[in-house]
Amino acid sequence: MTVSVDIWLRGSDVATTEKIEDLVRAPRDWVDADVRTVLEGMLRAMDRCKRPGEADREISLRGLSWIVNPFDEGGVVIAIEISMGAAIAGPFDIDQQRLESMIARVLASPATSSSSPPTIH
């Protein structure tokens, strides 16, 4: 499954659309790991726009503001904001409260990593 992410970097008046392609389940079937993939993918897409051509950095799911909003044509979108800018992904065909609960759990539970490279906040 491919997810579109619209990105606005601070200091720019141009929006960019990137893709997340690492999802194997439809949103209705998501588990917490899928939500983590979406959130990390959104941050990674923002970082790639800010640092084009550079190697990917480790992603840290902290220091971000988020919201799940209904989408006019159906489904919901995930919006996140960090000091670098903002990103919106979706729409997703999933219950808003269920997605909000999964995001809250994912953000409360850090991913395990064996290394400590720079993080994106």
Side-chain angles (χ1 to χ4, degrees):
M1 173 179 179
T2 301
V3 172
S4 292
V5 181
D6 295 325
I7 299 165
W8 296 270
L9 297 177
R10 293 213 192 288
S12 174
D13 58 357
V14 178
T16 304
T17 301
E18 296 291 327
K19 303 285 185 201
I20 301 171
E21 299 179 348
D22 302 338
L23 295 162
V24 295
R25 285 180 275 271
R28 285 181 183 252
D29 301 322
W30 279 356
V31 296
D32 290 359
D34 298 306
V35 171
R36 180 177 297 282
T37 297
V38 171
L39 295 173
E40 289 177 349
M42 292 171 73
L43 292 173
R44 186 163 282 116
M46 291 174 74
D47 193 50
R48 285 179 181 154
C49 287
K50 182 74 172 180
R51 304 173 332 107
E54 295 186 32
D56 285 345
R57 299 187 289 177
E58 185 71 22
I59 300 297
S60 174
L61 293 179
R62 62 176 190 218
L64 60 93
S65 297
W66 63 274
I67 190 166
V68 176
N69 276 330
F71 188 67
D72 290 340
E73 287 82 33
V76 295
V77 296
I78 301 170
I80 62 173
E81 184 175 0
I82 59 174
S83 59
M84 183 187 303
I88 298 176
F92 304 109
D93 184 17
I94 187 172
D95 177 74
Q96 181 175 350
Q97 289 181 340
R98 182 170 168 250
L99 181 56
E100 289 171 342
S101 293
M102 285 192 286
I103 291 172
R105 280 194 307 270
V106 166
L107 294 178
S109 174
T112 56
S113 175
S114 59
S115 61
S116 299
T119 57
I120 302 167
H121 315 298

